[in-house]
Amino acid sequence: MNTKMNDFNQLAALCHGKHIYIQTHNFPDPDAIASAFGLQRLLAQHEIPSTLCYDGRIDKLSASKMLEAFQIQMFPYEQLRPDMAEEDYVICVDAQKHCGNITDFVGDEVACIDHHPTFVPIEYRYQDIRPTGACATIIAQYYKQLPCLPDRHTATALLYGLKMDTLQFTRGVTELDIEMFAFLFPLCDQETLARLERNNMEFNDLKAYGAAIESIEVYDKVGISNVLFPCPDALIAILSDFILALQEVEVAVVFSKREDGIKFSVRSEDPAVHAGHLVRDALHGYGDGGGHAEMAGGMIRKEKECLLGRYPKDTIRDSFLRVLS
C-alpha cells in the first residue's frame, strides 16, 4: 500500500491495528505540538492509540505553556527507546526524514505530514507534504473534510500553532491557512488563546537580544548577528525575526555557539533570496540546513567546527555573502 493523497481515511487505514508514534522535529514549537496533538486526537476517534514523541528539548516558553494548558503528554526519545521496535509505525509531523532537525528513530517512518519544502526525497506509505503557512493547517483540514469537529482544546491548540508559525498571519500565509482560521476560530477557547499569546519572553532572553544587537553587521540589506553563548532554537528564531524587522535589513542571519555546535536561523523578505536555499548553500561542506523561502534553519555540528578555521565568525559571514553575491 503506497498512498500519497491528503486523505486522512487512507492514513487511518494504514495505522489500523497499530500503536503509532507521532514524532515531531527535535525542538518542538507550538505548530509541531499542535499538529501532533490534533493528529493524536483524530486517530483516537478511529480507535488508533498513539504516543507523541521527540528528540531534543522543549526549549521554548510558548511550547511549555501550551503543553501545560492542554495537558499534552510528549515523551523524549530516550524514555521510549527501550520499548520501541523496528516494526513500530512512526508518523513524522512538521518535519521530514533526513532534513537535519529530526532524529532517525528505531521505528518505521511509514507516514509524513509536513508543510516544509522537501530537500531529501523519501518514499513514505502515506505522505501529505504541502506548502502551507503552518502544519496545523493541514491537520485542521482533516477535521473539516471528514467532517469531524475538533473539541475546544484541539481547536485552540491548532489555531495557536497556526498563528505562531505564520507570525500572526504575516509570514508564508496561504489561502488554506485563512480558511482554516475561519474554521477553527468559532470552536476555540479565546480566553486560553489570549493567555497563551501573552508573556512568552523570559528575563534571560534579554541578554540574547543584547548580544544580537551588539554584534549585528549589515551588508547591503543583509543583517548578520551572532550570540556567543548558547541559545535555544526558538530564541534564535525570534532573534532573526527581530533583526529582520530593521528597515535596513531584508535578509537576516543569526547564529549561536552552543555545546552541540553552531545553530543558525535565517529570514528573508527579499523575493530573490530563498532562505532555505541560502542556508543550505552557505553551510555546504560545514553543516546542513534548509526551510521555506521566508524562514529557514541550519546547524554546524561541533565535530565540524574545526573546518571554519581560526576565525569562525568571519568564515560564516563570508560564506553567506558569497552565496548572496
Side-chain angles (χ1 to χ4, degrees):
M1 177 173 155
N2 189 352
T3 61
K4 296 186 179 182
M5 297 177 63
N6 57 324
D7 183 348
F8 176 80
N9 289 320
Q10 293 184 358
L11 178 60
L14 172 65
C15 297
H16 185 71
K18 294 279 190 176
H19 180 92
I20 305 300
Y21 290 94
I22 301 175
Q23 180 187 2
T24 69
H25 50 74
N26 289 348
F27 297 87
D29 58 8
D31 184 38
I33 295 171
S35 301
F37 178 56
L39 179 61
Q40 181 183 49
R41 290 291 187 101
L42 200 50
L43 289 172
Q45 293 187 18
H46 289 71
E47 300 183 350
I48 300 171
S50 61
T51 299
L52 307 187
C53 53
Y54 65 97
D55 193 26
R57 297 185 303 276
I58 304 290
D59 64 0
K60 194 169 188 177
L61 180 59
S62 57
S64 299
K65 288 173 61 177
M66 186 178 185
L67 294 175
E68 181 180 354
F70 304 117
Q71 295 297 295
I72 300 172
Q73 287 190 311
M74 293 189 73
F75 298 90
Y77 181 42
E78 62 183 17
Q79 186 174 337
L80 300 175
R81 186 171 183 174
D83 298 321
M84 290 186 70
E86 292 183 3
E87 60 270 18
D88 286 330
Y89 280 7
V90 176
I91 301 176
C92 298
V93 173
D94 200 29
Q96 301 174 39
K97 286 185 68 174
H98 307 310
C99 68
N101 67 342
I102 184 169
T103 300
D104 187 8
F105 284 6
V106 170
D108 182 10
E109 293 87 351
V110 297
C112 177
I113 302 171
D114 189 28
H115 70 125
H116 297 98
T118 298
F119 290 96
V120 182
I122 300 291
E123 285 292 324
Y124 304 95
R125 294 174 66 181
Y126 174 91
Q127 69 180 46
D128 189 355
I129 302 173
R130 289 182 270 160
T132 57
C135 190
T137 292
I138 299 174
I139 303 300
Q141 190 183 38
Y142 288 158
Y143 281 93
K144 187 176 181 182
Q145 286 178 337
L146 285 175
C148 175
L149 292 180
D151 60 58
R152 189 167 292 272
H153 268 10
T154 305
T156 308
L158 288 170
L159 186 53
Y160 182 56
L162 171 54
K163 293 182 73 175
M164 291 293 285
D165 229 44
T166 59
L167 201 61
Q168 301 293 338
F169 292 90
T170 63
R171 176 176 64 200
V173 181
T174 67
E175 290 186 9
L176 185 58
D177 295 308
I178 301 298
E179 182 183 340
M180 289 305 101
F181 173 85
F183 169 64
L184 294 169
F185 186 77
L187 306 172
C188 80
D189 183 332
Q190 295 184 35
E191 183 178 338
T192 299
L193 185 64
R195 189 169 62 250
L196 286 170
E197 293 180 324
R198 290 194 298 264
N199 303 327
N200 280 320
M201 183 184 295
E202 298 179 273
F203 183 77
N204 286 338
D205 294 348
L206 293 179
K207 294 190 294 184
Y209 273 85
I213 293 170
E214 183 71 22
S215 65
I216 188 170
E217 299 175 351
V218 179
Y219 304 90
D220 191 22
K221 295 196 174 183
V222 179
I224 301 178
S225 186
N226 73 97
V227 180
L228 297 179
F229 52 83
C231 286
D233 285 27
L235 182 54
I236 303 170
I238 292 170
L239 292 174
S240 59
D241 286 326
F242 175 70
I243 297 300
L244 188 64
L246 293 172
Q247 183 176 356
E248 295 84 358
V249 173
E250 293 185 358
V251 177
V253 179
V254 177
F255 55 98
S256 170
K257 179 78 167 71
R258 308 194 309 196
E259 292 182 0
D260 56 347
I262 303 174
K263 177 64 182 180
F264 293 78
S265 180
V266 177
R267 297 289 185 266
S268 173
E269 57 184 19
D270 181 348
V273 178
H274 188 292
H277 296 166
L278 170 60
V279 69
R280 180 193 61 190
D281 294 344
L283 299 187
H284 181 70
Y286 304 114
D288 51 41
H292 298 286
E294 296 92 357
M295 54 186 292
M299 186 78 183
I300 297 176
R301 301 292 174 186
K302 185 175 181 62
E303 59 270 20
K304 292 202 172 180
E305 286 186 48
C306 59
L307 300 176
L308 296 172
R310 188 174 179 181
Y311 303 103
K313 176 185 172 182
D314 294 344
T315 303
I316 290 169
R317 176 200 63 210
D318 293 347
S319 184
F320 276 92
L321 294 179
R322 183 177 63 252
V323 174
L324 288 165
S325 63

